Amino acid sequence: MKHFISVDQLSNEEICQLLIDAEMYEMYNDHKLLDQIFAANLFFEPSTRTKMSFMVAERKLGLEVLDFHLESSSFIKGESLYDTVKTFEAIGADVAIIRHEADDWMSELENINIPIINAGAGKAEHPTQCLLDLLTIHQEFGEINNKNVVIVGDIKHSRVAKSNANTLARLGANVYLSAPPGYEDEKLPFPTIPIDEAIQFCDVVMMLRIQHERHMEKNQTKQYLEQYGLTKEREQNMLKHAIILHPAPVNRDVEMDGDLIECERSRIFKQMTNGVCMRMAILTHVLKEWGIIHENVVKKLKAIN
Ligand code: CP
């Protein structure tokens, strides 16, 4: 059985089905699973949105949530990631949701026998964020194919940029990157253009947080915003229908003007709302794939169809 580690492991059809399922979870509220299922949220890096929206998604599905606090766990006494996850497997967790600072933390978990969902892997991947971003774009435009999307900022240290750039391109979007010197990622094969050019033709402007925790560079905030960020003046030059995304948390007045977070074209809080229904869809997809749930959820979805 496959752990849910990367969007790359999903076919385009599976991505589309997740978008449909997430929309259904957003529209209809009663999707409690009948069996007792335990979900362990193992966050070894800080999180507000991902951790809490997984928790809401789990509770909406009727899962029993095993919350894990790093600072009071035996990880502090030197227990390994593998031993921590194996412990949750041994005490009856049915699924583990994991965030960790290492890019390849999943490589030591191959022998874990419960499904694992990647809630953030270092600078490498953030698949659930990518899927909720796809949902937000799809809700806005009714399609992803042929949309012009620019990803702006600290691309080198961003797991969101990597998951999104490759998946958006696979779904037919035209992907552009805009990064200050030193923040480019040469492994991503997309054109790099200045932000002033990008805002003139892009339908989606996806801003990224400077990942200060992953490098030592401290930017002069005002200078960074004016040179590379989304200022109010640049927002005025965006296409009339264009939207702003940001995975958040936002460094206000660094990568974007703080006043733009709640401007008319911002979908930043919509992204967070979408995080709940998309994570419900991902949880049920994984639980079904592993045979942990069967017809109880499927029946409910079919009844709605
Ligand atoms: N976007 C995101 O992953 O936010 P958190 O770090 O708060 O989970």
Side-chain angles (χ1 to χ4, degrees):
M1 287 292 176
K2 281 182 291 184
H3 298 304
F4 189 88
I5 301 302
S6 167
V7 194
D8 293 349
Q9 70 196 64
L10 299 173
S11 66
N12 287 5
E13 290 70 30
E14 285 173 313
I15 293 174
C16 288
Q17 191 58 52
L18 284 169
L19 298 180
I20 292 166
D21 290 352
E23 292 264 26
M24 274 195 287
Y25 283 123
E26 193 161 53
M27 275 190 281
Y28 302 96
N29 235 337
D30 181 22
H31 288 287
K32 291 224 185 306
L33 306 183
L34 303 176
D35 304 328
Q36 186 180 49
I37 296 169
F38 290 101
N41 296 326
L42 309 180
F43 281 69
F44 296 84
E45 263 196 338
S47 170
T48 299
R49 274 145 291 271
T50 310
K51 183 173 177 181
M52 291 303 145
S53 60
F54 258 114
M55 201 180 281
V56 173
E58 288 154 359
R59 290 205 169 139
K60 282 187 168 213
L61 288 170
L63 272 59
E64 310 264 1
V65 181
L66 303 174
D67 199 11
F68 165 81
H69 297 279
L70 187 63
E71 63 283 0
S72 58
S73 76
S74 288
F75 191 77
I76 300 299
K77 295 186 271 188
E79 190 161 53
S80 69
L81 175 63
Y82 176 82
D83 287 335
T84 303
V85 181
K86 196 72 188 167
T87 300
F88 276 89
E89 181 188 318
I91 63 175
D94 295 288
V95 56
I97 291 84
I98 300 180
R99 170 177 288 192
H100 193 283
E101 65 183 357
D103 287 7
D104 63 346
W105 54 257
M106 61 292 300
S107 62
E108 64 178 284
L109 301 181
E110 275 164 16
N111 294 330
I112 296 292
N113 297 311
I114 55 171
I116 291 166
I117 298 177
N118 179 2
K123 304 183 292 305
E125 289 258 15
H126 197 345
T128 67
Q129 177 72 44
C130 170
L131 287 162
L132 74 88
D133 291 343
L134 296 181
L135 178 62
T136 311
I137 296 169
H138 194 268
Q139 282 175 342
E140 191 69 33
F141 299 109
E143 61 183 348
I144 291 165
N145 191 35
N146 279 330
K147 291 292 143 206
N148 293 322
V149 182
V150 63
I151 305 176
V152 183
D154 185 2
I155 290 167
K156 183 176 179 176
H157 304 100
S158 170
R159 53 195 174 210
V160 175
K162 278 141 211 160
S163 291
N164 265 308
N166 291 321
T167 311
L168 282 162
R170 178 151 70 96
L171 295 175
N174 307 310
V175 175
Y176 301 87
L177 308 174
S178 183
Y183 286 174
E184 309 97 334
D185 186 336
E186 55 287 343
K187 288 196 238 59
L188 289 176
F190 304 104
T192 298
I193 57 177
I195 186 169
D196 285 308
E197 188 183 328
I199 48 156
Q200 291 177 36
F201 71 94
C202 281
D203 306 294
V204 179
V205 176
M206 183 181 288
M207 302 303 300
L208 298 174
R209 183 173 68 87
I210 303 183
Q211 307 269 306
H212 286 303
E213 72 275 29
R214 303 193 199 285
H215 53 81
M216 302 309 287
E217 296 153 39
K218 288 278 173 209
N219 283 281
Q220 298 300 314
T221 58
K222 203 164 162 37
Q223 198 187 349
Y224 184 95
L225 179 63
E226 278 166 13
Q227 277 188 280
Y228 309 111
L230 190 59
T231 58
K232 285 182 190 163
E233 195 186 347
R234 289 190 176 111
E235 186 270 335
Q236 292 289 310
N237 289 328
M238 287 171 64
L239 295 177
K240 198 164 180 293
H241 67 264
I243 59 169
I244 299 167
L245 301 184
H246 190 308
V250 180
N251 292 311
R252 281 178 178 263
D253 302 322
V254 182
E255 62 263 9
M256 66 187 287
D257 190 299
D259 289 346
L260 295 178
I261 295 172
E262 293 181 66
C263 74
E264 209 173 315
R265 59 167 97 245
S266 167
R267 298 292 178 272
I268 296 173
F269 288 96
K270 182 62 181 157
Q271 287 172 274
M272 296 176 205
T273 305
N274 282 343
V276 174
C277 60
M278 179 47 81
R279 289 176 174 122
M280 290 173 80
I282 293 165
L283 279 161
T284 48
H285 169 86
V286 170
L287 292 171
K288 273 192 247 173
E289 204 175 55
W290 280 64
I292 295 168
I293 57 171
H294 302 283
E295 288 306 305
N296 47 4
V297 168
V298 180
K299 265 186 199 145
K300 189 144 276 187
L301 292 176
K302 277 189 183 147
I304 289 163
N305 275 329

